[in-house]
Amino acid sequence: MKDTRNRRMEIIMATLELAAEHGLGTVSMQQIAEKVGITKASLYNHFSSRDEIVEAMYGILREASKSRTGSEGINYESLSPEIPLKDILLGSVNSYRNMVSDTKMFQFYKVIMSERSINSAAADIMVKETRTMINATKALFYALQVKGIADFENPDIAATSFAMTVHAILDHEFDLMFANSANDGTIQGKSAAVNTEGIVKDADAEDGKMSEGAAGTPVNGKMMQDYIDEFCRIYSKKQS
């Protein structure tokens, strides 16, 4: 007999597979129970609803993706004015992008992003992720200000603006990859990796080969790089 933790993980992964195949809104507790091979009553011993499963899925997959990709955040003590602001921001963005592009997390976000306008549980997760991203950016920007690396008139506003713009650009990158996935199936089941220059590519692709979006549009991270360049031009601390 499987222990509770393993059974819960099995339920979560079964739900993700069903949602990826049929759409989250159509997945029932009965379908989940049948896929796992347990009774519906047994399923309710672990989760009270599908939304509770999705909420647990979000937390577990996010932490697992952070661990697998080494996206554990920035060590603020290591920050120094000798490190260019651009390098710090690119490193932070690429770390986050690699986390959300990890195979299972990518599959999860693909489901959530496609249903956030029609499913309240999906929308709630996107709100939570955006808030987490904004709060993490605020903490980083406070550290950058204290360390004399950046000069923000209002760190909270700068952090919110930066986080929301990065979020929008990442959405655009994922839209390109999703469009490509719909055209030829190359992204489904794969993760995307980002190198130090911010180039997005399939983890399984040949070395140096960039991902492509709709109509062969390369998902090369240039939009993100251009935005960070301009952001740094405005906010980098001018050294005397």
Side-chain angles (χ1 to χ4, degrees):
M1 187 175 189
K2 292 189 176 181
D3 62 40
T4 299
R5 180 176 297 180
N6 288 342
R7 179 63 81 191
R8 283 173 64 89
M9 192 63 188
E10 189 176 5
I11 291 168
I12 285 170
M13 298 316 298
T15 305
L16 179 58
E17 290 176 17
L18 287 168
E21 183 177 355
H22 304 292
L24 182 60
T26 66
V27 177
S28 67
M29 294 293 275
Q30 183 63 46
Q31 287 176 302
I32 296 168
E34 290 175 357
K35 187 167 183 64
V36 176
I38 59 177
T39 64
K40 188 175 180 180
S42 179
L43 175 60
Y44 277 108
N45 288 333
H46 298 280
F47 295 100
S48 62
S49 67
R50 184 192 63 197
D51 287 353
E52 186 182 351
I53 298 174
V54 174
E55 179 71 21
M57 187 188 304
Y58 167 61
I60 289 172
L61 292 183
R62 196 180 196 281
E63 289 305 309
S65 295
K66 284 173 63 177
S67 178
R68 273 194 300 270
T69 61
S71 305
E72 297 297 336
I74 293 175
N75 178 5
Y76 298 146
E77 295 301 318
S78 68
L79 295 177
S80 163
E82 280 72 46
I83 304 174
L85 178 59
K86 179 180 177 180
D87 290 354
I88 296 170
L89 295 181
L90 270 177
S92 177
V93 169
N94 288 344
S95 177
Y96 180 79
R97 180 161 41 188
N98 283 335
M99 182 197 75
V100 298
S101 300
D102 188 51
T103 305
K104 290 300 181 184
M105 201 65 188
F106 185 80
Q107 186 179 26
F108 174 72
Y109 274 122
K110 187 174 181 179
V111 170
I112 294 302
M113 290 172 71
S114 68
E115 302 222 4
R116 59 185 172 180
S117 64
I118 57 174
N119 185 293
S120 61
D124 185 57
I125 285 173
M126 293 306 301
V127 168
K128 288 180 179 179
E129 183 61 26
T130 301
R131 286 175 179 166
T132 297
M133 190 177 180
I134 290 172
N135 289 336
T137 306
K138 286 182 179 180
L140 172 60
F141 279 24
Y142 288 141
L144 293 173
Q145 185 93 337
V146 169
K147 294 282 187 175
I149 300 170
D151 186 12
F152 303 117
E153 183 173 336
N154 187 322
D156 284 343
I157 296 299
T160 300
S161 173
F162 182 84
M164 293 304 293
T165 303
V166 166
H167 197 59
I169 294 173
L170 288 175
D171 277 357
H172 176 65
E173 290 178 354
F174 286 149
D175 284 343
L176 289 175
M177 287 191 284
F178 293 165
N180 187 57
S181 174
N183 289 335
D184 59 25
T186 57
I187 301 296
Q188 187 172 1
K190 296 183 180 181
S191 60
V194 184
N195 65 19
T196 55
E197 287 76 38
I199 304 299
V200 184
K201 65 179 183 179
D202 296 348
D204 300 329
E206 297 175 6
D207 188 36
K209 182 179 179 182
M210 294 185 297
S211 296
E212 291 188 349
T217 305
V219 186
N220 62 10
K222 187 176 186 305
M223 183 185 294
M224 187 74 77
Q225 291 182 75
D226 288 346
Y227 170 67
I228 291 176
D229 281 342
E230 180 63 12
F231 189 90
C232 292
R233 185 188 67 79
I234 297 170
Y235 292 111
S236 288
K237 180 79 171 181
K238 306 300 185 292
Q239 303 299 323
S240 56

